[in-house]
Short mmCIF file of all heavy atoms in Angstrom, two decimals:
data_model
loop_
_atom_site.label_atom_id
_atom_site.label_comp_id
_atom_site.label_asym_id
_atom_site.label_seq_id
_atom_site.Cartn_x
_atom_site.Cartn_y
_atom_site.Cartn_z
N VAL N 1 21.29 4.70 6.38
CA VAL N 1 21.20 5.20 5.11
C VAL N 1 19.74 5.27 4.46
O VAL N 1 19.31 6.25 3.97
CB VAL N 1 22.05 4.29 4.17
CG1 VAL N 1 21.92 4.73 2.67
CG2 VAL N 1 23.48 4.16 4.55
N ALA N 2 18.98 4.17 4.67
CA ALA N 2 17.70 4.24 4.30
C ALA N 2 16.86 2.85 4.95
O ALA N 2 17.58 1.99 5.28
CB ALA N 2 17.55 4.06 2.79
N ASN N 3 15.68 3.00 5.19
CA ASN N 3 14.89 1.91 5.61
C ASN N 3 13.55 1.97 4.95
O ASN N 3 13.09 3.02 4.36
CB ASN N 3 14.69 1.91 7.21
CG ASN N 3 14.15 3.07 7.77
OD1 ASN N 3 13.32 3.69 7.11
ND2 ASN N 3 14.40 3.25 9.11
N ILE N 4 12.83 0.82 5.02
CA ILE N 4 11.58 0.68 4.49
C ILE N 4 10.74 -0.17 5.41
O ILE N 4 11.09 -1.13 5.90
CB ILE N 4 11.56 0.01 3.05
CG1 ILE N 4 10.21 -0.05 2.51
CG2 ILE N 4 12.24 -1.32 3.05
CD1 ILE N 4 10.29 -0.33 0.89
N THR N 5 9.48 0.29 5.71
CA THR N 5 8.62 -0.41 6.55
C THR N 5 7.75 -1.41 5.87
O THR N 5 7.61 -1.60 4.71
CB THR N 5 7.74 0.59 7.28
OG1 THR N 5 6.74 1.11 6.37
CG2 THR N 5 8.56 1.85 7.91
N SER N 6 7.08 -2.19 6.72
CA SER N 6 6.20 -3.24 6.16
C SER N 6 5.11 -2.63 5.26
O SER N 6 4.46 -3.19 4.46
CB SER N 6 5.53 -4.11 7.17
OG SER N 6 4.78 -3.36 8.13
N GLY N 7 4.75 -1.26 5.58
CA GLY N 7 3.77 -0.55 4.77
C GLY N 7 4.33 0.14 3.62
O GLY N 7 3.68 0.89 2.97
N ARG N 8 5.62 -0.17 3.21
CA ARG N 8 6.37 0.40 2.06
C ARG N 8 6.60 1.78 2.19
O ARG N 8 6.98 2.47 1.20
CB ARG N 8 5.54 0.10 0.89
CG ARG N 8 5.37 -1.41 0.49
CD ARG N 8 6.74 -2.07 0.28
NE ARG N 8 6.54 -3.49 -0.05
CZ ARG N 8 6.63 -3.91 -1.28
NH1 ARG N 8 6.61 -3.18 -2.19
NH2 ARG N 8 6.45 -5.32 -1.43
N ASN N 9 6.63 2.35 3.40
CA ASN N 9 6.96 3.63 3.71
C ASN N 9 8.55 3.70 3.78
O ASN N 9 9.17 2.80 4.31
CB ASN N 9 6.48 4.26 5.07
CG ASN N 9 5.01 4.48 5.01
OD1 ASN N 9 4.47 4.98 3.87
ND2 ASN N 9 4.36 4.14 6.06
N THR N 10 9.24 4.76 3.16
CA THR N 10 10.65 4.86 3.08
C THR N 10 11.20 6.10 3.75
O THR N 10 10.49 7.03 3.94
CB THR N 10 11.09 4.75 1.62
OG1 THR N 10 10.56 5.87 0.97
CG2 THR N 10 10.70 3.59 0.94
N ASN N 11 12.40 5.89 4.26
CA ASN N 11 13.07 7.08 4.93
C ASN N 11 14.55 6.96 4.38
O ASN N 11 15.14 5.96 4.23
CB ASN N 11 13.13 6.85 6.30
CG ASN N 11 11.80 7.05 6.94
OD1 ASN N 11 11.16 8.09 7.05
ND2 ASN N 11 11.24 5.89 7.44
N TYR N 12 15.12 8.20 4.13
CA TYR N 12 16.50 8.37 3.54
C TYR N 12 17.28 9.29 4.46
O TYR N 12 16.68 10.33 4.86
CB TYR N 12 16.52 8.67 2.17
CG TYR N 12 15.85 7.74 1.19
CD1 TYR N 12 14.53 7.77 0.94
CD2 TYR N 12 16.57 6.63 0.65
CE1 TYR N 12 13.87 6.92 0.10
CE2 TYR N 12 15.92 5.77 -0.18
CZ TYR N 12 14.62 5.86 -0.52
OH TYR N 12 14.10 4.98 -1.36
N ALA N 13 18.52 9.05 4.55
CA ALA N 13 19.47 10.05 5.05
C ALA N 13 19.47 11.25 4.01
O ALA N 13 19.47 10.94 2.79
CB ALA N 13 20.86 9.52 5.27
N ASP N 14 19.54 12.52 4.54
CA ASP N 14 19.63 13.60 3.71
C ASP N 14 20.75 13.57 2.59
O ASP N 14 20.62 13.96 1.56
CB ASP N 14 19.74 14.91 4.52
CG ASP N 14 18.55 15.23 5.29
OD1 ASP N 14 17.45 14.77 4.86
OD2 ASP N 14 18.62 16.02 6.26
N SER N 15 21.81 12.83 3.08
CA SER N 15 22.95 12.76 2.23
C SER N 15 22.82 11.91 0.98
O SER N 15 23.49 12.02 -0.01
CB SER N 15 24.26 12.41 2.94
OG SER N 15 24.04 11.09 3.38
N VAL N 16 21.76 11.02 0.94
CA VAL N 16 21.55 10.17 -0.10
C VAL N 16 20.21 10.36 -0.76
O VAL N 16 19.94 9.74 -1.88
CB VAL N 16 21.69 8.66 0.29
CG1 VAL N 16 23.03 8.42 1.06
CG2 VAL N 16 20.60 8.27 1.24
N LYS N 17 19.48 11.18 -0.20
CA LYS N 17 18.08 11.45 -0.82
C LYS N 17 18.22 11.91 -2.30
O LYS N 17 18.94 12.89 -2.54
CB LYS N 17 17.38 12.54 0.08
CG LYS N 17 15.87 12.61 -0.25
CD LYS N 17 15.15 13.41 0.84
CE LYS N 17 15.13 12.71 2.08
NZ LYS N 17 14.32 13.45 3.18
N GLY N 18 17.49 11.32 -3.15
CA GLY N 18 17.50 11.71 -4.47
C GLY N 18 18.42 10.87 -5.28
O GLY N 18 18.36 10.79 -6.47
N ARG N 19 19.35 10.24 -4.74
CA ARG N 19 20.36 9.22 -5.40
C ARG N 19 20.14 7.80 -5.05
O ARG N 19 20.45 7.00 -5.95
CB ARG N 19 21.76 9.64 -4.97
CG ARG N 19 22.14 11.20 -5.24
CD ARG N 19 23.59 11.43 -4.89
NE ARG N 19 23.90 11.26 -3.44
CZ ARG N 19 24.73 10.40 -2.94
NH1 ARG N 19 25.42 9.67 -3.88
NH2 ARG N 19 25.00 10.34 -1.72
N PHE N 20 19.73 7.45 -3.90
CA PHE N 20 19.42 6.08 -3.57
C PHE N 20 18.07 5.77 -3.48
O PHE N 20 17.19 6.65 -3.15
CB PHE N 20 20.20 5.82 -2.16
CG PHE N 20 21.61 5.91 -1.99
CD1 PHE N 20 22.35 6.34 -3.19
CD2 PHE N 20 22.34 5.49 -0.95
CE1 PHE N 20 23.72 6.42 -3.04
CE2 PHE N 20 23.66 5.47 -0.89
CZ PHE N 20 24.43 6.02 -1.89
N THR N 21 17.65 4.51 -3.76
CA THR N 21 16.22 4.07 -3.60
C THR N 21 16.29 2.66 -2.91
O THR N 21 16.99 1.82 -3.35
CB THR N 21 15.65 3.89 -4.92
OG1 THR N 21 15.74 5.16 -5.77
CG2 THR N 21 14.18 3.49 -4.83
N ILE N 22 15.57 2.52 -1.99
CA ILE N 22 15.24 1.31 -1.24
C ILE N 22 14.07 0.61 -1.65
O ILE N 22 12.94 1.25 -1.90
CB ILE N 22 15.38 1.49 0.28
CG1 ILE N 22 15.48 0.19 1.01
CG2 ILE N 22 14.26 2.34 0.82
CD1 ILE N 22 15.81 0.28 2.50
N SER N 23 14.02 -0.74 -1.72
CA SER N 23 12.83 -1.38 -2.23
C SER N 23 12.77 -2.77 -1.52
O SER N 23 13.92 -3.40 -1.18
CB SER N 23 12.68 -1.49 -3.71
OG SER N 23 13.77 -2.17 -4.25
N ARG N 24 11.75 -3.41 -1.48
CA ARG N 24 11.65 -4.87 -0.91
C ARG N 24 10.86 -5.70 -1.87
O ARG N 24 9.94 -5.21 -2.69
CB ARG N 24 10.79 -4.72 0.42
CG ARG N 24 11.53 -4.12 1.43
CD ARG N 24 10.63 -4.00 2.74
NE ARG N 24 10.37 -5.44 3.22
CZ ARG N 24 9.48 -5.60 4.33
NH1 ARG N 24 9.08 -4.62 4.99
NH2 ARG N 24 9.26 -6.79 4.66
N ASP N 25 11.21 -6.97 -1.89
CA ASP N 25 10.52 -8.03 -2.61
C ASP N 25 10.16 -8.98 -1.44
O ASP N 25 11.00 -9.89 -1.00
CB ASP N 25 11.35 -8.61 -3.63
CG ASP N 25 10.61 -9.78 -4.36
OD1 ASP N 25 9.57 -10.19 -3.92
OD2 ASP N 25 11.12 -10.10 -5.61
N ASN N 26 8.83 -8.80 -0.95
CA ASN N 26 8.52 -9.67 0.18
C ASN N 26 8.45 -11.29 -0.17
O ASN N 26 8.67 -12.03 0.84
CB ASN N 26 7.08 -9.25 0.72
CG ASN N 26 7.10 -7.92 1.28
OD1 ASN N 26 8.14 -7.47 1.77
ND2 ASN N 26 5.98 -7.11 1.36
N ALA N 27 8.08 -11.59 -1.39
CA ALA N 27 8.09 -13.01 -1.73
C ALA N 27 9.46 -13.67 -1.60
O ALA N 27 9.56 -14.76 -1.31
CB ALA N 27 7.56 -13.18 -3.18
N LYS N 28 10.55 -12.83 -1.84
CA LYS N 28 11.89 -13.33 -1.72
C LYS N 28 12.56 -13.00 -0.39
O LYS N 28 13.71 -13.19 -0.29
CB LYS N 28 12.74 -12.79 -2.87
CG LYS N 28 12.22 -13.27 -4.36
CD LYS N 28 13.10 -12.75 -5.41
CE LYS N 28 12.68 -13.19 -6.75
NZ LYS N 28 13.50 -12.65 -7.86
N ASN N 29 11.92 -12.33 0.44
CA ASN N 29 12.45 -11.80 1.68
C ASN N 29 13.80 -10.95 1.41
O ASN N 29 14.81 -11.34 2.12
CB ASN N 29 12.73 -13.04 2.68
CG ASN N 29 11.33 -13.54 3.20
OD1 ASN N 29 10.43 -12.88 3.38
ND2 ASN N 29 11.37 -14.91 3.28
N THR N 30 13.68 -10.14 0.46
CA THR N 30 14.93 -9.48 0.07
C THR N 30 14.63 -8.02 -0.04
O THR N 30 13.66 -7.47 -0.38
CB THR N 30 15.32 -9.92 -1.27
OG1 THR N 30 15.56 -11.36 -1.32
CG2 THR N 30 16.57 -9.27 -1.75
#
């Protein structure tokens, strides 16, 4: 569906692009 790298680069499946957003909180490992 989506992933995010340690450098905060993101990738999305075409079917969800523009609708879904992935993010990370490194302090919370979430």
Side-chain angles (χ1 to χ4, degrees):
V1 177
N3 63 24
I4 183 167
T5 69
S6 60
R8 299 297 179 95
N9 294 318
T10 58
N11 298 283
Y12 297 92
D14 288 341
S15 60
V16 307
K17 192 171 294 185
R19 300 187 297 120
F20 291 10
T21 303
I22 190 169
S23 61
R24 289 176 64 180
D25 185 339
N26 290 337
K28 297 180 179 180
N29 293 322
T30 300

